[in-house]
Amino acid sequence: MSQATVMERTPAARHFVASAASSVADGSRIGFENVSVTYGALTVLESLTLTVNPGEIVALIGPSGSGKTTALRAVAGFVRPSAGRILIGDRDVTHLAPYDRKTGMVVQNYALFPHMRVEENVAFGLRAHGANGDLIRKRVPECLAMVGMSAYAKRYPRELSGGQQQRVAIARALAPKPQVLLLDEPLSALDAQIRRSMLDELAKLHRDLPNLTVLYVTHDQSEALTLANHIGIMRDGKLKAFGESQSLFRHPPNRFAAEFLGRANLLPVSDLEPTDGQMARVRFGDVTLSAHNYHGVAASGDCLLCVRPHDFRFSHNAAEPNTISGTVISVQWQGDVHCITLNIGGEEVRMTSAPMSSPPRIGELISVYFNPAEVTLVPEDASHG
Amino acid sequence: MLVWSRPWRIAAWALAVPLFLIVYGLPVGVIILASFSGQWNDILPSNLTLVHYAKAFRTDSYDALRASLLTGVIASAAALVCGTWAALALRALDRLPKRILDLFFFIPSAVPSVSVGLALLVAFSQPPFLLNGTAMIVLIAHFILISAFTYGNVTAGLARIPADCEQVAESLGARPFYRLRRVTLPLLLPYLVAAFSLSFALSMGELGATVMIYPPDWVTLPVKIFALSDRGAIFDAATLATILGVATLVVLLGLSRLSTKAMTR
């Protein structure tokens, strides 16, 4: 029996059959149009405008209370915006009930139904949409196979490890072929090793389902950088920065983005003087340095030089261009890298390097340099962030 | 120190066990012994007999047991349905109306049962609400007295259900009734069983209101026990009290097994 004929009871069921007939979920655009969420006098999300294009993974990152989960829950329908519109595809879903939005959601604590076996959990969304038994029997094994949980179909959630439960939660969310997948800190409850392997699996899953649109909320920048096409950085209910992941990492538009995404060194520099193309010369203490002026920081404005810890390299010649010298404050061996903290002109500067057999000693004066194309100038905003 | 040191543990047990035996074990033991007694003129009873039990299952005492069990089951079931409904409905309300209604639902637990009995007697003794002299007035009294406990138990259970489970169910397309049937109520089952058990136990022992309103054809076991002891038929009263205790215990044990099964899923 074809999928299109197995469940034609209700309009919702017919719609579901049509979408289930495709071999992979066709993702839809998620649009936030000036979305605000307030609780009394407290604004937890302020005029958020953001688009997640079909097939993209957009990660929202930020510290606790930044509004990232509120934004995700507004898409899911569990938070009602006080202003603005939320679109899924071309549909305005702002005032739709959560069960009419066709989203799949995975949450931090998995939220598997403890009274149902794994296969019943995965079938839940299909049954809720009125799917026929034939379709359920076909789709549930497919989804379990997709997350490598076929052997656990008959188990109860309490008989699974955290990572296995999260895989089932992902299979359950994908089973009804949602238009968008909402992931709310899905790896936070897992230990570091399982988190890394789940991250790889999520990346593989998206390679297998390239049309699936994903909104991913996390406070872990490495998850965002690994998975997301675009990253939004939130703070105090506002979107502070948004951009393509690599670009945002290399050229953060403000101090907060630079510090939150990758813990960059931010050196206060002055006397900005444009040179060729997007390059500029600046003064740091007595030293003249070259850097990429990606954001076109005006010559008159205060600015910061953003240098990632791994962009510093040891220099044997203090007279080399873009070389600065400082005293070693601390040296930490972290297995795959050495982390060295320097005091350069009163600023604490962190650098990382490949493990060394004889790392610099604390108190030693050393010189480091960087490639000007790899560092960027960041405007110093009044709020520091 | 009390927990970890051996002498203190022994001292605690030495205090707790006699206290338990005197306050709880002794009265129950005396009732059970009395139910088998032909005579009791000394420290222990003499002429042990089963005649009181034979009488209990032959006379109108059996009708009283039946009335008690039916009252307990019907009133507890009604209280469970209403208490669950109220608890679910109140979840969706804002803080202030929720607190006001919460207080309102708990009022019956603060009113003495005698007052409830008197109130029902006055309210339902005139047309068009003439229920005086019917079994219905007893069922209503029991429902009023136990509903607050049922509501309280279900509310506590609802607070412990992870909100994420229900929200994920909704995001998967479950409409409210489907979500209630497939997710909320199954997760709530252990608390529903506990609420029913407590209600049933309370109803089985209820006397204060029932003694004021019971009709002649719906005498509950506690009323019968009270009447027998009032007439001086202590051994017969003790027999019915034992039967009442055993019947309640059997039902509660059955419910407890159901609850354990639901908990360990």
Side-chain angles (χ1 to χ4, degrees):
Chain A
M1 196 186 294
S2 76
Q3 285 180 1
T5 57
V6 288
M7 47 168 212
E8 306 242 322
R9 283 180 256 160
T10 63
R14 279 197 293 278
H15 175 92
F16 181 69
V17 170
S19 63
S22 60
S23 60
V24 292
D26 284 327
S28 290
R29 184 175 66 94
I30 303 172
F32 292 87
E33 291 182 359
N34 286 311
V35 175
S36 295
V37 175
T38 54
Y39 297 121
L42 181 69
T43 301
V44 291
L45 193 63
E46 194 174 325
S47 294
L48 176 66
T49 297
L50 177 73
T51 300
V52 186
N53 289 314
E56 262 189 355
I57 300 181
V58 166
L60 289 181
I61 65 171
S64 297
S66 59
K68 55 190 189 300
T69 295
T70 303
L72 179 134
R73 292 168 64 79
V75 179
F78 301 119
V79 170
R80 182 162 290 207
S82 49
R85 292 200 313 159
I86 295 171
L87 303 167
I88 295 179
D90 295 326
R91 284 193 311 156
D92 181 349
V93 298
T94 317
H95 302 292
L96 278 187
Y99 47 81
D100 280 333
R101 296 194 179 202
K102 297 183 178 61
T103 59
M105 191 162 85
V106 177
V107 296
Q108 186 179 346
N109 60 1
Y110 331 124
L112 294 180
F113 307 130
H115 55 291
M116 294 182 197
R117 293 177 191 277
V118 163
E119 60 185 2
E120 292 164 334
N121 264 281
V122 176
F124 184 89
L126 296 161
R127 289 192 208 284
H129 282 95
N132 178 284
D134 287 350
L135 178 60
I136 293 170
R137 279 189 289 278
K138 179 176 182 293
R139 183 79 182 133
V140 169
E142 266 177 22
C143 292
L144 285 174
M146 194 157 51
V147 295
M149 289 296 291
S150 301
Y152 300 86
K154 300 287 179 197
R155 295 215 187 162
Y156 282 102
R158 66 171 186 276
E159 297 166 341
L160 304 176
S161 69
Q164 289 170 334
Q165 288 191 45
Q166 198 56 292
R167 283 196 193 110
V168 175
I170 291 166
R172 179 179 64 178
L174 292 175
K177 295 189 185 276
Q179 291 181 321
V180 299
L181 182 62
L182 308 173
L183 302 175
D184 185 7
E185 308 219 19
L187 310 183
S188 303
L190 303 175
D191 62 51
Q193 201 173 351
I194 297 173
R195 194 183 308 170
R196 273 194 294 276
S197 95
M198 279 299 294
L199 201 54
D200 292 342
E201 288 186 31
L202 280 175
K204 181 181 175 300
L205 188 72
H206 197 249
R207 284 197 299 276
D208 293 342
L209 303 173
N211 296 325
L212 185 63
T213 310
V214 181
L215 183 61
Y216 190 103
V217 162
T218 179
H219 61 266
D220 184 328
Q221 47 149 325
S222 67
E223 287 176 23
L225 288 167
T226 306
L227 286 177
N229 307 100
H230 286 83
I231 294 175
I233 303 176
M234 299 195 67
R235 183 187 176 191
D236 298 335
K238 294 177 193 147
L239 187 66
K240 301 298 289 186
F242 182 76
E244 191 268 322
S245 305
Q246 281 197 28
S247 169
L248 197 65
F249 184 78
R250 298 203 69 79
H251 308 293
N254 51 47
R255 172 191 274 267
F256 181 70
E259 285 179 336
F260 196 83
L261 194 65
R263 293 188 67 210
N265 295 295
L266 293 167
L267 307 177
V269 293
S270 58
D271 301 340
L272 189 150
E273 184 188 329
T275 55
D276 334 330
Q278 281 190 312
M279 302 305 287
R281 257 197 300 272
V282 288
R283 297 280 301 167
F284 175 64
D286 298 335
V287 189
T288 299
L289 302 170
S290 292
H292 199 168
N293 190 5
Y294 184 84
H295 298 291
V297 180
S300 56
D302 291 335
C303 71
L304 301 162
L305 178 64
C306 170
V307 191
R308 299 285 172 189
H310 60 268
D311 286 332
F312 280 117
R313 290 168 191 90
F314 291 108
S315 168
H316 301 294
N317 179 4
E320 245 183 311
N322 278 342
T323 298
I324 46 181
S325 301
T327 314
V328 176
I329 302 172
S330 77
V331 180
Q332 286 179 340
W333 176 67
Q334 294 182 351
D336 53 349
V337 289
H338 259 110
C339 292
I340 299 158
T341 309
L342 303 168
N343 182 338
I344 302 178
E347 297 289 325
E348 269 196 15
V349 173
R350 288 182 309 277
M351 70 172 289
T352 54
S353 89
M356 294 170 280
S357 53
S358 54
R361 289 183 306 277
I362 292 173
E364 190 178 339
L365 184 70
I366 63 169
S367 297
V368 292
Y369 75 99
F370 54 81
N371 179 348
E374 290 172 350
V375 300
T376 196
L377 292 170
V378 174
E380 170 71 290
D381 38 321
S383 65
H384 272 206
Chain B
M1 190 171 74
L2 199 61
V3 176
W4 294 108
S5 113
R6 188 178 156 79
W8 277 106
R9 262 209 313 273
I10 292 169
W13 278 107
L15 182 71
V17 171
L19 207 63
F20 175 83
L21 287 176
I22 292 167
V23 172
Y24 186 76
L26 192 62
V28 173
V30 166
I31 294 281
I32 294 170
L33 269 180
S35 71
F36 292 103
S37 300
Q39 261 188 321
W40 199 333
N41 298 326
D42 214 333
I43 292 182
L44 289 173
S46 53
N47 298 339
L48 295 182
T49 174
L50 288 173
V51 71
H52 307 301
Y53 282 94
K55 258 168 65 183
F57 287 104
R58 272 206 306 268
T59 60
D60 55 353
S61 298
Y62 176 72
D63 294 334
L65 174 63
R66 192 172 145 273
S68 270
L69 285 171
L70 280 174
T71 304
V73 169
I74 294 169
S76 301
L80 186 66
V81 171
C82 295
T84 305
W85 196 344
L88 286 167
L90 250 64
R91 267 204 317 178
L93 291 185
D94 289 335
R95 199 183 170 92
L96 185 65
K98 188 177 174 177
R99 287 194 69 172
I100 292 169
L101 282 173
D102 206 41
L103 193 69
F104 179 76
F105 288 142
F106 274 116
I107 285 175
S109 65
V111 177
S113 56
V114 176
S115 307
V116 171
L118 183 62
L120 288 174
L121 205 58
V122 173
F124 295 126
S125 292
Q126 297 290 331
F129 301 113
L130 186 56
L131 295 177
N132 194 2
T134 67
M136 183 58 80
I137 199 168
V138 178
L139 293 173
I140 291 173
H142 281 231
F143 170 81
I144 290 171
L145 289 167
I146 63 181
S147 58
F149 297 97
T150 316
Y151 167 75
N153 255 343
V154 178
T155 302
L158 276 173
R160 297 191 64 178
I161 289 184
D164 280 345
C165 274
E166 292 182 282
Q167 292 185 344
V168 164
E170 276 195 84
S171 81
L172 288 166
R175 290 175 179 275
F177 184 67
Y178 188 83
R179 189 199 70 206
L180 178 72
R181 195 163 58 80
R182 296 292 314 278
V183 178
T184 311
L185 289 180
L187 290 178
L188 204 55
L189 188 59
Y191 304 97
L192 297 179
V193 174
F196 186 88
S197 303
L198 177 65
S199 304
F200 181 77
L202 288 171
S203 173
M204 287 296 277
E206 210 296 312
L207 177 65
T210 316
V211 81
M212 298 186 74
I213 53 174
Y214 74 95
D217 59 343
W218 201 262
V219 180
T220 62
L221 218 43
V223 173
K224 185 81 183 164
I225 293 165
F226 177 71
L228 286 171
S229 65
D230 201 37
R231 288 209 306 265
I234 298 297
F235 297 153
D236 290 331
T239 307
L240 292 187
T242 306
I243 291 171
L244 176 66
V246 169
T248 308
L249 210 60
V250 165
V251 174
L252 292 187
L253 282 174
L255 290 170
S256 163
R257 286 194 64 177
L258 189 65
S259 173
T260 309
K261 211 172 160 186
M263 282 275 204
T264 52
R265 268 184 329 198

